[in-house]
Amino acid sequence: MHFGKSALTHPLNPTYPLETFTIKDIARELNISTSTVSRALRGSYEINPETKRLVMECAARLNYRPNPIALSLKGSASRAIGVIVPQIANYFFSQAINGIEAIAYNRGYHVIIFQSQESYEREVANVQQASSRKVDGLLISLSSETSDVSHLKDLQEKNVPLVLFDRVSPELEATQIVADNFGGAFSATEHLIQSGRRRIAHLTIQPWLSITRERLAGYRAALEKYGLEFDDTLVRYGTFGSDEVGPMVDELMRLESPPDAFFTASDRLAVGCLQALRQRQLQIPEDVSLIGFTNLNVADLLDPSLSTVVQPATEIGQVAAERLIDLIERKQRALPIETVKIPTELIVRSSTRLSGQQQPLSVART
Amino acid sequence: MHFGKSALTHPLNPTYPLETFTIKDIARELNISTSTVSRALRGSYEINPETKRLVMECAARLNYRPNPIALSLKGSASRAIGVIVPQIANYFFSQAINGIEAIAYNRGYHVIIFQSQESYEREVANVQQASSRKVDGLLISLSSETSDVSHLKDLQEKNVPLVLFDRVSPELEATQIVADNFGGAFSATEHLIQSGRRRIAHLTIQPWLSITRERLAGYRAALEKYGLEFDDTLVRYGTFGSDEVGPMVDELMRLESPPDAFFTASDRLAVGCLQALRQRQLQIPEDVSLIGFTNLNVADLLDPSLSTVVQPATEIGQVAAERLIDLIERKQRALPIETVKIPTELIVRSSTRLSGQQQPLSVART
DNA sequence: TTGTAAGCGTTATCAG
DNA sequence: CTGATAACGCTTACAA
């Protein structure tokens, strides 16, 4: 005689809520076939209401949970989305993931997270792994090393829905969600100019990133609007470690015609810059103005003399996740492929005006 | 006649690196059985070296990747570990995850991340989901609502290796990795006392969390060592929003005998406290001293007048992941169940001494 | 040394 | 309306 698992171990024992029951257990319990159970469970098709009731009742009693692994193997939805980011321990990305997870949870999806660690090679591996884990869709922010995006094109050929966010690529025909980097950089630069600054340095990250190009474009557009000449000695690119920002700022300040303002592309650059300027005994914003791109919650922690352009990290994650799940859930209809720009906010926390007159905290949304 | 997938689509076409080949494809290609391929691939068993070579070569050529879903279904290792944290968008946890992911990647594991959002209910759901996704092991930091840990005990009964970190529970017989919260709080408090402070307020989080209790104990131990009376009106618990810290500080400062120093349990509390004190026109550290528990990279961003006890977030994640994977990989041997304390660092960034004499930056490891 | 077949949990197809 | 059966990709007795 053969005993089923539940008979041998703990039949319906409520103290074992994590005991894994399968569709088979329900079938055996009710003396019906697994296919009937399956049909009853997914409410589909022609099924005797009474049978269905029995199955549902039994499933509830056993605390039955469909095995997502088996579902994925079967080829149907895994209800998991993959997220690939360069670094989790970067406030922008962790906030974005927070937004993604919130939306995913509400809509019944899991989030599997991968870090590319800014490595192209790891990113390719991540895409493969996500693919082989049968994610229903993928959200990605490109590593700084990535220029070739064929791994993502391949994914699209396999009909895996794809949405890019923040670090995007014009080479992909995919929905892309970004902050309004151009607008943010434009208003920051414009604000500095309107405060009387004329030599505005721009410290930024790797030049080939989409976000870098957009911010640079916004910076240039503002200069142009006010008839200021673009001087490329004032623009510095790089992956600055915390030790490298100081020397860079020093070098700029030793120029024949040194900057009277700094616009930086990250909170880390802003803080490095701030410290370097303070070491030179310069007052901010009296002697030199400073505005940095930052992430929402980090902005709270920063020095009150620092004005910032705040990136809507959580919102970018939310919008990206929403778009992705929309794509997943109605694959049939062609959804528009578009680049969505989420507005940034310029927060002026203390006067950056030369006049010296104290200005109240002001907020401008691009 | 039947054409295999690769024959129909793109036979060995190198422009399709994400084409999914299976063990069957290799078998068909080589006219051998799938079991032979399987054996060759996992190097096991008695197998003709030549066959093995052929299989390996073919697998490499097709860029074969075993389907992890099928592997998990089979019941063998999924090479994925689950991580449950209260909030990803919290610098401590995102750094810890960073450490976890680094170790996991090196040892060939994936990381599936869940957020409990500080909700007990969600935490229970997360554990179930992780379990049904067949993670090989689970890392968890408890939600602030969690007091009952039977969901984790259930998991242990299913022989899923479990390691807790940061927010742990004495009720579980499991490896637990924590910062040396007692030691950190002790040195911070001791430093304040040695600087001449006598009325040290302690702003902290929910009283039932392990980390809260340990820090409070360290605080009390330091008071006791120096013969100072413990005054519970100086200790405030809560989940302070950014608007609530100010009033709390104000309330304390209106006491008949107000505090002359603050020791806070988070960077957010520290910043809130700092701002509230400044609004009262108090100089730090001259009028009131302030030390906060912070996370490593956040510490860089903070105001230079703020001394901090730095939590080794990344290291906690790394150690936790290492322990978990050790547990997973040698299930047979009983590994010691222990609580590992990772040292914290007290960083004094500007003098907190009453003497007013400037003191160089100093670092003490607990 | 290799092949055959069963099975992991589920669903889809096809017969009753 | 319900029950067999095959299939998803892989491993593993067991048989040859």
Side-chain angles (χ1 to χ4, degrees):
Chain A
M1 180 162 180
H2 171 258
F3 288 95
K5 147 183 49 185
S6 58
L8 275 178
T9 54
H10 10 264
L12 320 187
N13 186 331
T15 57
Y16 289 83
L18 283 177
E19 169 74 37
T20 302
F21 290 101
T22 74
I23 213 170
K24 272 188 183 169
D25 297 312
I26 300 181
R28 188 167 345 99
E29 188 85 5
L30 266 45
N31 272 315
I32 56 180
S33 78
T34 57
S35 10
T36 306
V37 176
S38 173
R39 276 188 294 251
L41 253 22
R42 65 205 56 274
S44 66
Y45 250 81
E46 317 120 331
I47 186 131
N48 186 322
E50 175 60 8
T51 312
K52 178 165 178 177
R53 201 189 56 71
L54 280 172
V55 170
M56 295 308 252
E57 187 262 312
C58 181
R61 188 160 40 88
L62 296 185
N63 190 28
Y64 165 79
R65 303 271 171 237
N67 179 333
I69 305 282
L71 288 176
S72 313
L73 219 213
K74 240 336 224 175
S76 67
S78 66
R79 294 200 84 78
I81 61 180
V83 178
I84 302 178
V85 295
Q87 274 265 0
I88 294 172
N90 166 314
Y91 216 80
F92 176 82
F93 292 117
S94 67
Q95 275 191 273
I97 290 170
N98 191 30
I100 291 167
E101 214 272 348
I103 299 295
Y105 181 82
N106 283 338
R107 299 186 62 170
Y109 286 79
H110 289 290
V111 173
I112 303 183
I113 294 182
F114 302 87
Q115 291 191 84
S116 63
Q117 304 283 14
E118 303 284 10
S119 145
Y120 169 69
E121 205 175 321
R122 272 192 73 160
E123 182 178 295
V124 173
N126 286 337
V127 170
Q128 280 204 358
Q129 288 157 352
S131 164
S132 66
R133 286 207 175 265
K134 292 268 187 305
V135 295
D136 292 342
L138 187 68
L139 286 169
I140 186 170
S141 193
L142 301 176
S143 92
S144 56
E145 276 183 22
T146 302
S147 54
D148 177 5
V149 291
S150 51
H151 52 309
L152 295 173
K153 287 185 178 162
D154 294 335
L155 199 71
Q156 290 185 304
E157 305 227 350
K158 294 172 84 178
N159 290 314
V160 178
L162 177 70
V163 170
L164 289 93
F165 68 100
D166 193 51
R167 308 252 202 101
V168 301
S169 163
E171 290 178 41
L172 281 165
E173 286 195 15
T175 299
Q176 319 215 11
I177 317 293
V178 293
D180 182 6
N181 290 297
F182 179 95
F186 186 91
S187 18
T189 310
E190 182 172 51
H191 176 81
L192 291 169
I193 297 171
Q194 289 174 343
S195 306
R197 302 303 177 180
R198 289 294 172 269
R199 298 273 300 160
I200 303 168
H202 181 34
L203 304 189
T204 186
I205 51 178
Q206 297 92 333
W208 58 86
L209 296 180
S210 55
I211 51 178
T212 305
R213 290 198 307 267
E214 290 162 19
R215 291 168 190 175
L216 182 64
Y219 163 80
R220 293 189 69 153
L223 293 182
E224 194 163 335
K225 175 175 173 188
Y226 291 89
L228 294 178
E229 193 192 357
F230 171 75
D231 178 355
D232 64 5
T233 62
L234 292 181
V235 179
R236 302 297 163 113
Y237 306 89
T239 51
F240 302 105
S242 47
D243 305 339
E244 303 165 87
V245 185
M248 169 64 49
V249 172
D250 287 340
E251 192 186 317
L252 284 163
M253 295 307 287
R254 279 196 304 269
L255 286 178
E256 200 177 331
S257 166
D260 54 14
F262 284 83
F263 169 49
T264 73
S266 75
D267 36 41
R268 199 154 296 276
L269 282 169
V271 172
C273 191
L274 187 74
Q275 286 168 353
L277 294 173
R278 287 216 171 116
Q279 272 178 12
R280 297 181 76 89
Q281 312 287 344
L282 292 167
Q283 293 297 311
I284 295 168
E286 291 74 15
D287 300 322
V288 181
S289 293
L290 175 56
I291 298 186
F293 253 92
T294 64
N295 302 305
L296 190 57
N297 292 337
V298 167
D300 295 344
L301 301 177
L302 292 176
D303 191 282
S305 59
L306 201 54
S307 293
T308 56
V309 178
V310 178
Q311 304 192 83
T314 308
E315 199 179 344
I316 289 176
Q318 289 174 335
V319 172
E322 263 160 12
R323 291 306 185 102
L324 183 69
I325 296 175
D326 285 349
L327 280 170
I328 292 169
E329 296 190 344
R330 30 178 172 145
K331 279 208 190 87
Q332 64 286 13
R333 270 184 263 168
L335 290 178
I337 288 171
E338 55 176 332
T339 296
V340 181
K341 283 203 199 313
I342 311 289
T344 58
E345 275 183 351
L346 173 63
I347 300 187
V348 177
R349 295 211 252 184
S350 69
S351 176
T352 51
R353 292 190 190 281
L354 285 178
S355 69
Q357 132 222 342
Q358 197 59 26
Q359 174 186 323
L361 178 143
S362 80
V363 171
R365 194 141 168 115
T366 59
Chain B
M1 179 164 181
H2 171 259
F3 289 94
K5 149 182 50 183
S6 58
L8 276 177
T9 55
H10 11 263
L12 319 187
N13 185 330
T15 58
Y16 289 82
L18 282 178
E19 170 72 38
T20 302
F21 291 101
T22 74
I23 214 172
K24 271 188 183 169
D25 297 313
I26 299 181
R28 191 169 339 102
E29 188 85 6
L30 266 45
N31 272 314
I32 57 179
S33 78
T34 58
S35 26
T36 306
V37 176
S38 172
R39 277 186 292 249
L41 253 22
R42 66 206 53 276
S44 64
Y45 249 83
E46 317 120 331
I47 185 130
N48 185 322
E50 174 60 7
T51 311
K52 179 166 178 176
R53 200 189 57 70
L54 279 172
V55 169
M56 296 307 253
E57 188 261 314
C58 182
R61 188 159 41 87
L62 296 185
N63 190 28
Y64 166 79
R65 303 273 170 233
N67 179 333
I69 304 282
L71 288 176
S72 316
L73 220 211
K74 240 334 221 182
S76 68
S78 66
R79 294 201 83 78
I81 61 180
V83 178
I84 302 178
V85 294
Q87 274 266 0
I88 294 173
N90 167 314
Y91 215 82
F92 177 81
F93 292 117
S94 66
Q95 276 190 272
I97 289 171
N98 192 30
I100 291 166
E101 214 272 349
I103 299 295
Y105 180 83
N106 283 338
R107 298 186 63 171
Y109 286 78
H110 289 289
V111 172
I112 303 185
I113 294 181
F114 303 87
Q115 291 191 84
S116 63
Q117 304 283 15
E118 303 285 10
S119 146
Y120 170 69
E121 205 175 322
R122 273 193 72 161
E123 182 177 295
V124 173
N126 286 337
V127 170
Q128 278 204 0
Q129 289 156 352
S131 164
S132 65
R133 287 205 176 266
K134 292 268 187 307
V135 294
D136 292 341
L138 187 68
L139 286 169
I140 186 169
S141 192
L142 301 176
S143 92
S144 56
E145 277 183 21
T146 302
S147 54
D148 177 6
V149 292
S150 51
H151 53 307
L152 295 173
K153 287 186 178 159
D154 293 336
L155 198 71
Q156 289 184 305
E157 304 228 351
K158 295 173 82 179
N159 289 315
V160 178
L162 177 69
V163 170
L164 289 92
F165 67 100
D166 192 51
R167 308 251 203 101
V168 302
S169 164
E171 291 178 40
L172 281 165
E173 286 195 14
T175 298
Q176 320 214 13
I177 317 293
V178 293
D180 181 6
N181 290 296
F182 180 95
F186 185 91
S187 12
T189 311
E190 182 171 52
H191 176 81
L192 291 169
I193 296 170
Q194 289 175 341
S195 307
R197 302 302 177 180
R198 289 295 173 268
R199 298 274 298 160
I200 301 168
H202 181 33
L203 305 189
T204 185
I205 51 179
Q206 296 93 332
W208 58 86
L209 296 180
S210 55
I211 52 178
T212 306
R213 289 198 307 266
E214 289 163 19
R215 291 169 189 175
L216 183 64
Y219 164 81
R220 293 189 71 152
L223 293 182
E224 195 162 334
K225 175 175 173 189
Y226 291 89
L228 294 179
E229 193 191 358
F230 172 76
D231 178 354
D232 64 7
T233 61
L234 292 182
V235 179
R236 301 297 163 113
Y237 306 89
T239 50
F240 301 104
S242 46
D243 305 340
E244 302 166 271
V245 185
M248 169 64 49
V249 171
D250 287 339
E251 192 186 317
L252 283 163
M253 294 308 287
R254 280 196 302 269
L255 286 177
E256 199 176 332
S257 166
D260 54 15
F262 285 83
F263 168 49
T264 72
S266 74
D267 36 41
R268 198 153 297 276
L269 282 168
V271 172
C273 191
L274 186 75
Q275 286 167 353
L277 294 173
R278 287 218 171 117
Q279 272 178 11
R280 296 180 77 89
Q281 313 287 344
L282 292 167
Q283 291 298 310
I284 296 166
E286 291 73 16
D287 300 323
V288 182
S289 293
L290 174 56
I291 299 186
F293 254 91
T294 64
N295 301 306
L296 189 56
N297 293 337
V298 168
D300 295 343
L301 301 177
L302 291 176
D303 190 281
S305 59
L306 202 55
S307 293
T308 57
V309 178
V310 178
Q311 304 192 81
T314 309
E315 199 178 344
I316 288 177
Q318 288 173 335
V319 173
E322 262 160 12
R323 291 305 185 103
L324 182 69
I325 296 175
D326 285 350
L327 280 170
I328 291 168
E329 297 191 343
R330 31 180 173 142
K331 279 208 190 87
Q332 64 285 15
R333 271 186 262 166
L335 290 179
I337 288 172
E338 55 176 328
T339 295
V340 180
K341 282 203 200 313
I342 312 289
T344 58
E345 275 183 351
L346 173 62
I347 300 188
V348 177
R349 296 210 253 183
S350 69
S351 176
T352 52
R353 293 190 189 283
L354 284 178
S355 68
Q357 130 221 345
Q358 197 60 25
Q359 176 184 322
L361 179 143
S362 80
V363 171
R365 194 141 168 115
T366 59

